[in-house]
Amino acid sequence: RSPSAVPSLAISGGAIQSVRLTSDASFKARVEFSSCWTGSRNMELSWSAAGPLSETLLDGVKLSSSALTIPAANLKAVGPGQLVSLSLRGAMADDASIFTEASIDILTVPGPLRALISGGDRTVPASGTLLIDSSESIDPDAPD
């Protein structure tokens, strides 16, 4: 097998992907074999992360599948504004010396605030006093 016959591996989406702290983040691997590949098509996959709190990011996550789902709780623990490199290594099951890798960067971004204003529609004269109660508003990224 020539090095050009090594399968290619990619992670769906762009090279830098923004993920909200308030929802699970999912990533998928794509493996392509060249037409001249004659070996087994069984590839062992392994995800890893590097960067701030990378261990927290992948805590409890299955790392040996073509799909990776990072729970919102893990993203929230990492916090907003963090850039983490996510890598995927694919090694041929029958010959681990034949492998390929792919990586992306993920940026954790805060979720939108949920503004809840009590009182409904009101008309107030220009010289009147307006009191707005937003105490029921929610910051989904605030610690529980």
Side-chain angles (χ1 to χ4, degrees), residues 15-133:
I16 299 177
Q17 298 183 34
S18 296
V19 295
R20 289 198 186 268
L21 302 179
T22 52
S23 0
D24 294 353
S26 295
F27 306 93
K28 284 194 87 129
R30 252 187 0 262
V31 180
E32 292 184 13
F33 292 88
S34 70
S35 58
C36 61
W37 182 260
T38 58
S40 164
R41 291 183 178 239
N42 293 329
M43 183 175 273
E44 294 177 354
L45 299 171
S46 178
W47 295 87
S48 62
L53 301 170
S54 56
E55 288 181 19
T56 301
L57 184 72
L58 298 180
D59 185 41
V61 175
K62 183 178 179 185
L63 303 175
S64 60
S65 170
S66 63
L68 177 74
T69 300
I70 302 172
N74 291 23
L75 294 166
K76 198 171 187 179
V78 169
Q82 300 297 325
L83 187 65
V84 180
S85 293
L86 199 56
S87 298
L88 178 61
R89 178 183 168 99
M92 299 311 299
D94 60 347
D95 185 353
S97 69
I98 301 173
F99 66 92
T100 185
E101 296 175 315
S103 65
I104 60 168
D105 289 328
I106 60 172
L107 177 64
T108 56
V109 296
L113 297 175
R114 290 188 213 136
L116 302 172
I117 311 293
S118 62
D121 293 338
R122 299 283 188 264
T123 303
V124 179
S127 61
T129 302
L130 175 64
L131 178 62
I132 298 175
D133 179 4

